Each structure stands twice: as structure tokens, then as C-alpha cells.
Amino acid sequence: MSKTNIAFIKGNQSLPTDELFQSDNMIKVRFPVNAQSKARGIGSERMWVEVISGTAKDGVGEINNVPAFSDFNLGDLISYELNEEDGVYYFGKLIKSSKTLKVGDKVKVKKGMLKKLYGDKNPKADDRVGTIVKDYKDGDFKVNLGSNNTYNIHIDGKLLEKESKEG
């Protein structure tokens, strides 16, 4: 059984190694967790962010961890702000996702979503790789799935994942 490298830290506590990273233009930022993590009683996730621009109070940085409890991604560009009352940096907003999709990208619909959204009875639906053919600029995409691009869907980009180079 594999183990993940995750440490649960109460409140505003730090690890002894935190100071080493802070000297390398890194700060620890508190992020909101996803619904599954919230249901498990996890209140927030703290991750390392490399500061790109800003001051000691607020700025822009790049996530330098692989998130375990939130829907962010390694490499996402975010804004942050220091709460002077508790001395903790908090996530502000997502500026640019490292997982940005565009026309021509090969994608898969996240597992189980085709059946949930469209009632697809095909057991291989989760294995379909398609191509984004239109970006509606509101977060939705038109995707051609299946052989001969005969299966077209209009879908929220949050339900898509980029197909890996190996896939």
C-alpha cells in the first residue's frame, strides 16, 4: 500500500523546515478545500506558493505543491493576501490555471460525468478521448468524442481533463 506525503497540522503551526522555504521566495498559503475534503472534516489546505510579484502583504504566486484536498493544480497562478490578525496568507483568486484548455486539445470527460449528464449507457464512455472544437469563452466547450467525431457534446470545462501525452 502506497503512502502519501501529507502532514496534518493544527491551526497556525509550522514545520521546522518552513523557514528554509520562506527564504527562497516561498510562502505558505491557506486554500479552501473541495466538497469531498470538507465532508471529511478538513477545513483548509496549506500549500507552498512561489511569489512572482507583490509585497509582504499581498501579491501573485504560483502553486508549488500538488494539492491533496482542493481542486487547484500544481503551477496554477493565484493571488494571495496576508491576514495581519492571524499572520496567515490566504488564497485570493485563481488568475490562471495550469490546466487551461483550448481548441485542438485532446481531452477526456472526468470519470462518470458522461453517464451522469447525458445518460450514456456505453460502458466505454469514460475511455473516450475527444478534441475541443469550440471555446464558448464562458467556461464551456464543444467536444467531439468517439470515432469519426460523431459524438458531439457541449460541456463545462470543469468536467474535462487534458489527455496525457501517453494516453
Side-chain angles (χ1 to χ4, degrees), residues 14-22 28 48:
S14 297
L15 295 172
T17 57
D18 285 357
E19 292 163 10
L20 296 173
F21 289 99
Q22 287 169 334
K28 209 174 239 183
W48 287 109

Side-chain angles (χ1 to χ4, degrees), residues 9-137:
I9 301 173
K10 291 185 176 186
N12 200 15
Q13 295 176 339
S14 297
L15 295 172
T17 57
D18 285 357
E19 292 163 10
L20 296 173
F21 289 99
Q22 287 169 334
S23 64
D24 284 338
N25 210 31
M26 303 285 276
I27 58 170
K28 209 174 239 183
V29 177
R30 188 169 289 174
F31 289 82
V33 296
N34 58 29
Q36 295 94 343
S37 298
K38 199 173 275 189
R40 292 175 46 205
I42 299 168
S44 64
E45 179 172 17
R46 292 176 72 189
M47 292 184 279
W48 287 109
V49 170
E50 182 176 1
V51 176
I52 305 237
S53 66
T55 67
K57 290 188 177 186
D58 59 16
V60 173
E62 183 178 295
I63 296 176
N64 210 324
N65 281 105
V66 175
F69 303 108
S70 61
D71 292 329
F72 298 96
N73 302 292
L74 175 69
D76 282 355
L77 198 62
I78 60 105
S79 67
Y80 62 86
E81 187 171 335
L82 176 66
N83 180 329
E84 293 185 29
E85 287 182 27
D86 62 9
V88 174
Y89 288 100
Y90 287 89
F91 165 77
K93 68 178 183 178
L94 179 66
I95 295 171
K96 184 177 182 202
S97 173
S98 63
K99 301 286 184 185
T100 303
L101 299 171
K102 63 186 180 311
V103 172
D105 281 350
K106 297 286 185 197
V107 294
K108 285 175 78 171
V109 179
K110 289 184 180 176
K111 197 153 187 72
M113 285 294 117
L114 283 175
K115 184 176 181 182
K116 186 174 182 179
L117 294 170
Y118 300 104
D120 194 319
K121 306 286 188 256
N122 184 342
K124 296 240 180 226
D126 287 332
D127 297 329
R128 287 192 183 127
V129 174
T131 304
I132 294 177
V133 293
K134 183 166 185 172
D135 181 347
Y136 291 102
K137 303 296 184 200

Side-chain angles (χ1 to χ4, degrees), residues 147-163:
S147 60
N148 300 323
N149 294 326
T150 56
Y151 192 85
N152 297 313
I153 61 171
H154 180 130
I155 191 164
D156 186 330
K158 292 178 189 169
L159 303 177
L160 297 172
E161 52 191 28
K162 222 173 197 175
E163 178 65 356

